[in-house]
Amino acid sequence: MNPIAELVAKKRIIVCAGSGGVGKTTTAAAIALQAALMGKRAAVLTIDPARRLASSLGLKELTNDPVRIPQRKFSSAGLEANGELHAAMLDTKTTFDNVVLRYAPTREQARRIIANRFYRNISGTLSGTQEYMAMEKLYELHSEGDYDLIVIDTPPTRNALDFLDAPRRMTDFFESRVLRWFLIPYMKAGGGFMRVANVAAGTFLRLVKRIVGAEVLDDTAEFFGNLEGMYDGFKQRARDVARLLQSDATSFVVITSPAEDSVTEAAFFASRLNESGLPFGGLVVNRVHPKLGDGIEVRPRQLDRLEKGDATGRLLAKLLDNESAFMRVVELEEKNLDSLARRIPRHLWVRVPYLEREAVDFPGLASVAQQLFAESGGNVSARYRTPRPKPRS
Amino acid sequence: MLLDEFFAPRILVVSGKGGVGKTTVSAALALLAARHGRKVCVAEVDRKGTLARLLGGRELTYEPNELLPGVWGLNIMPEEALGEYLRVQYHMRRISRAFTSTHFVDYITTAAPGLKDILVLGKIWYLEQGRGTHHRFDTIVVDAPAAGHMKNFLSAPAGLSDAVQVGPIRRQAEWLRAMLTDPARSRIHLVTLAEEMPVTETLETVTAVRDEVGLSTGTVFANAVYSDLLTRDEEKTFARLADSKEWSSFAAAGKSAGVKLDDEDVQALAGYHDFLEARRAIQTSHLRKLKREVQEPVAVLPFLFSAGLELPDIETLADVVEMRIDEQ
């Protein structure tokens, strides 16, 4: 059975991970679409501000709250959805605000945090925030959204591994000894950093002030001050999210292309999932060049004779040349994929060939899903037909 | 365009969406500059990437090292850039590890968004000015962050000037801004694929960096474009033979040259032709849109039929880039 279809049937959450430019978002959407066709109430949550996904779903834009894709989209593509397809795009700031509202002891404290400048910067720039909030949003949809399946793609980090470390990096940041070491004396001293007794921390504070200014220090001190008493809530939630991701309900699907870098990263990522106790469920290899035939042997001398021959001969020479160029790519891709097979067994793979069309509209997305969920995961044969020019009327 | 003109600004920023071949094009530009006698430094930003492998294999560090004759490379990590900044700016000899710890860098760059970018751009400024290094580079190629982050990256100096009202960092941000917006000193080249998303993003980025950040925009490189295979006449012949299933004439032509072709072989030849044409049809329409909507010259780079790029491929690309610059 197709390993991804098996996941769609059994799991509640599918996390799509992989390096940039390998078709993560499209694959995630195609998986959710397939789930809807299979009668599930499915949602795709995208992290990437991908407007193409919105337009391929027939929406003007995606928002933090899931929107249902109308049934007529399916019927216009000649499909019948027994289930539902919903789509949302992560809004980091709004999600973070909701977290603050949930854990702040009073609304007033929440309001102070949300108005704080340092806090506003965090949701825009602190590395790991987006990943952390993606997990938060996922948890929220899972526990409150009543979905049979949620498919999420991961942020466009260049290195997919960053994604696994990011949430921890973010919680560590809040509890960082370095920060507390110099901020707590500052806060205790009522903001007067000159009065800080700790000499080293004093040097530190003076330096920070010189680099970014005193106001920034005040903002930070206020932020961390307001955060006191909320850490336990954060930590509990982080534990809940971690437990959900490690549970039987969840599966990670790694997306790759047959390119060397991408394959190396995919193998490494799968082993990291393993180490972190996160359930790896399957591999999608996108953009595979088709292998047609077993390669044609031609000697340079023969090619030369063809080129010097008649029109058909010259045409044939070009076609032979083209075939051998593609076979070189196919062989290299096979080599890369063979090395991947030593890390991830092939029965967990689905190979998706280069498609004749891009997934720019709903039928396009549906044809990606069709390729992805073809009966045999391992060998999808592709038929490529040249679009012939239509006769002019 | 003369090559000298192309390399007139010392700083060449190369950017584009993830996966389009920014690093490959950066490497090719570096090789090309070195071939013409320039001492080149190519800078990777905040990652352990493929640049080193493309250029011969030595790992990149914060200190530039020579990868190939005339081509130097470095990896600019914000943590190390902060360390250098503190040493140079505040004459701090012994820098507590706490100052360059990830948490501190995270803190300070969150407190002042854009500071991370400033630190990276600051290192490029140091290289340009020949500070903190005994090298004097004629060309500095910056393999910049992906286009999504590009506008923030390049407008960081302006943004920081607003956030931080006084102090040395504000003055320094203004120096960086001057460096980036002076067409005699910096120019940005964008890399794209002839596909829908990359083209759309490129059109947005090029407008943003040109009109909002005020950078001088150079060439848009359309990467991995399949070349023509058949002439129009040959295409007609092919269509006629394919439609009438006259595959035997291919087999016959092959036989006369001593090439044995069975049915499966002929199917493969036709299949790869059709695959190429299907891909080319997609690329052609996006390329047309790109050329129509972008003011900058578009240079088409060929698809290289080798999945794992290595130095010889970069040499080939450098040849093509040279031709394309010549045509502009």
Side-chain angles (χ1 to χ4, degrees), chain B:
Chain B
M1 186 193 252
L2 292 173
L3 214 61
D4 281 345
E5 203 179 317
F6 184 87
F7 286 113
R10 190 180 291 167
I11 299 167
L12 306 182
V13 180
V14 180
S15 185
K17 187 177 154 52
V20 298
K22 276 188 303 286
T23 304
T24 317
V25 172
S26 300
L29 290 180
L31 273 191
L32 183 58
R35 275 186 198 168
H36 290 268
R38 289 177 161 75
K39 181 171 176 176
V40 188
C41 183
V42 47
E44 193 158 53
V45 174
D46 195 16
R47 60 183 129 92
K48 283 197 196 95
T50 47
L51 188 58
R53 203 194 70 222
L54 294 180
L55 292 174
R58 278 189 69 180
E59 198 173 318
L60 298 183
T61 58
Y62 190 71
E63 274 310 306
N65 57 41
E66 193 166 15
L67 303 170
L68 294 168
V71 181
W72 300 67
L74 86 161
N75 183 8
I76 306 181
M77 304 292 287
E79 288 80 4
E80 294 197 61
L82 178 62
E84 182 176 11
Y85 176 77
L86 294 176
R87 275 194 302 276
V88 175
Q89 184 64 33
Y90 294 99
H91 308 290
M92 295 177 62
R93 282 181 193 217
R94 226 168 31 84
I95 292 170
S96 156
R97 266 198 324 191
F99 284 105
T100 53
S101 78
T102 309
H103 282 152
F104 183 68
V105 175
D106 272 353
Y107 163 66
I108 199 147
T109 53
T110 304
L115 188 64
K116 204 179 227 176
D117 300 327
I118 296 282
L119 289 168
V120 170
L121 289 168
K123 176 63 182 173
I124 293 161
W125 187 82
Y126 280 152
L127 288 172
E128 189 212 24
Q129 300 291 315
R131 293 200 187 186
T133 168
H134 56 276
H135 299 293
R136 185 83 181 147
F137 294 109
D138 304 310
T139 296
I140 300 161
V141 179
V142 184
D143 180 8
H149 181 60
M150 199 55 209
K151 215 190 110 199
N152 292 342
F153 178 64
L154 295 171
S155 51
L160 196 75
S161 309
D162 295 339
V164 180
Q165 298 297 325
V166 288
I169 199 118
R170 172 169 185 147
R171 200 168 60 242
Q172 286 144 9
E174 270 154 20
W175 291 343
L176 297 180
R177 195 172 156 70
M179 169 182 85
L180 287 174
T181 52
D182 182 350
R185 292 167 74 190
S186 311
R187 189 180 286 156
I188 181 168
H189 301 285
L190 292 170
V191 185
T192 185
L193 294 176
E195 288 175 19
E196 199 236 352
M197 281 290 282
V199 165
T200 308
E201 209 166 286
T202 300
L203 292 172
E204 281 166 11
T205 308
V206 82
T207 319
V209 295
R210 189 208 309 122
D211 302 342
E212 291 166 39
V213 190
L215 236 87
S216 152
T217 44
T219 303
V220 175
F221 291 98
N223 194 22
V225 175
Y226 292 107
S227 317
D228 281 322
L229 180 63
L230 304 181
T231 64
R232 209 168 279 181
D233 282 346
E234 285 168 337
E235 206 61 74
K236 274 187 205 148
T237 312
F238 177 83
R240 182 168 48 77
L241 294 178
D243 282 346
S244 58
K245 296 269 188 292
E246 276 185 57
W247 300 122
S248 55
S249 37
F250 281 128
K255 201 173 173 190
S256 70
V259 187
K260 264 209 268 175
L261 298 172
D262 60 21
D263 269 4
E264 195 193 336
D265 292 335
V266 178
Q267 289 293 341
L269 290 177
Y272 278 128
H273 165 272
D274 286 354
F275 176 76
L276 180 78
E277 288 309 314
R279 298 297 311 163
R280 264 169 47 80
I282 292 174
Q283 290 191 333
T284 306
S285 71
H286 294 305
L287 206 52
R288 202 177 293 139
K289 177 179 158 126
L290 179 69
K291 286 180 174 166
R292 192 174 57 230
E293 294 185 20
V294 86
Q295 297 172 12
E296 288 70 12
V298 174
V300 174
L301 302 180
F303 177 85
L304 296 179
F305 283 92
S306 55
L309 292 179
E310 279 169 27
L311 189 56
D313 302 303
I314 308 300
E315 299 270 8
T316 309
L317 270 186
D319 294 340
V320 181
V321 170
E322 182 161 14
M323 266 160 46
R324 295 289 177 262
I325 293 171
D326 198 47
E327 289 160 7
Q328 279 176 23

Side-chain angles (χ1 to χ4, degrees), chain A residues 78-359:
Chain A
L79 298 168
E80 195 187 336
N82 298 318
E84 297 173 12
L85 175 60
H86 299 248
M89 186 178 85
L90 177 75
D91 178 340
T92 306
K93 171 83 169 65
T94 307
T95 308
F96 206 158
D97 290 354
N98 290 338
V99 171
V100 170
L101 284 167
R102 186 174 318 120
Y103 292 114
T106 63
R107 281 198 78 81
E108 173 54 24
Q109 190 171 339
R111 200 194 53 75
R112 277 202 307 272
I113 292 175
I114 290 171
N116 179 280
R117 190 159 47 174
F118 186 77
Y119 168 77
R120 292 206 305 269
N121 292 343
I122 284 181
S123 41
T125 61
L126 180 60
S127 55
T129 314
Q130 197 187 31
E131 289 84 350
Y132 185 83
M133 290 308 145
M135 293 298 112
E136 175 61 35
K137 184 76 195 171
L138 174 67
Y139 192 84
E140 192 186 302
L141 288 179
H142 175 72
S143 49
E144 294 158 23
D146 194 25
Y147 294 105
D148 299 319
L149 178 71
I150 302 166
V151 189
I152 177 174
D153 72 346
T154 50
T157 30
R158 188 178 171 93
N159 187 334
L161 296 168
D162 291 350
F163 175 71
L164 290 180
D165 296 328
R168 203 194 52 220
R169 195 171 167 192
M170 163 112 185
T171 37
D172 281 1
F173 172 77
F174 284 126
E175 296 190 299
S176 156
R177 288 234 299 281
V178 175
L179 286 186
R180 301 191 145 216
W181 174 63
F182 79 92
L183 277 175
I184 288 172
Y186 179 78
M187 278 142 55
K188 285 203 179 125
F193 57 87
M194 289 309 195
R195 281 176 274 139
V196 172
N198 182 333
V199 177
T203 315
F204 215 94
L205 288 171
R206 269 194 298 279
L207 186 71
V208 174
K209 190 204 159 203
R210 280 172 76 178
I211 299 177
V212 295
E215 265 177 48
V216 169
L217 268 180
D218 291 335
D219 287 343
T220 335
E222 188 202 48
F223 173 74
F224 281 96
N226 278 319
L227 220 55
E228 285 296 333
M230 290 171 63
Y231 290 112
D232 289 343
F234 280 157
K235 273 200 290 199
Q236 183 54 47
R237 184 70 157 199
R239 273 197 296 270
D240 292 344
V241 172
R243 200 169 301 133
L244 175 64
L245 290 181
Q246 288 171 347
S247 78
D248 260 359
T250 305
S251 193
F252 283 76
V253 170
V254 176
I255 324 280
T256 186
S257 80
E260 193 178 349
D261 294 347
S262 175
V263 160
T264 310
E265 210 163 283
F268 194 41
F269 192 69
S271 68
R272 276 293 305 277
L273 285 173
N274 214 355
E275 284 164 24
S276 318
L278 296 166
F280 169 78
L283 177 82
V284 175
V285 189
N286 274 330
R287 300 175 162 238
V288 181
H289 281 90
K291 183 170 191 281
L292 310 174
D294 295 319
I296 303 169
E297 235 175 278
V298 190
R299 295 202 192 88
R301 207 161 39 101
Q302 297 169 325
L303 214 54
D304 205 43
R305 277 169 70 186
L306 283 173
E307 274 159 7
K308 286 185 183 131
D310 62 358
T312 316
R314 286 196 298 278
L315 173 57
L316 181 58
K318 284 187 176 179
L319 293 175
L320 282 165
D321 211 32
N322 184 52
E323 188 266 355
S324 80
F326 274 112
M327 284 311 278
R328 265 204 312 280
V329 176
V330 168
E331 274 161 26
L332 267 159
E333 289 184 353
E334 285 300 325
K335 200 181 104 208
N336 294 339
L337 293 178
D338 281 346
S339 76
L340 187 58
R342 286 194 285 276
R343 312 287 289 273
I344 303 172
R346 285 191 197 262
H347 69 269
L348 296 175
W349 295 23
V350 174
R351 293 165 63 142
V352 182
Y354 256 112
L355 298 169
E356 283 174 72
R357 53 187 300 175
E358 295 169 289

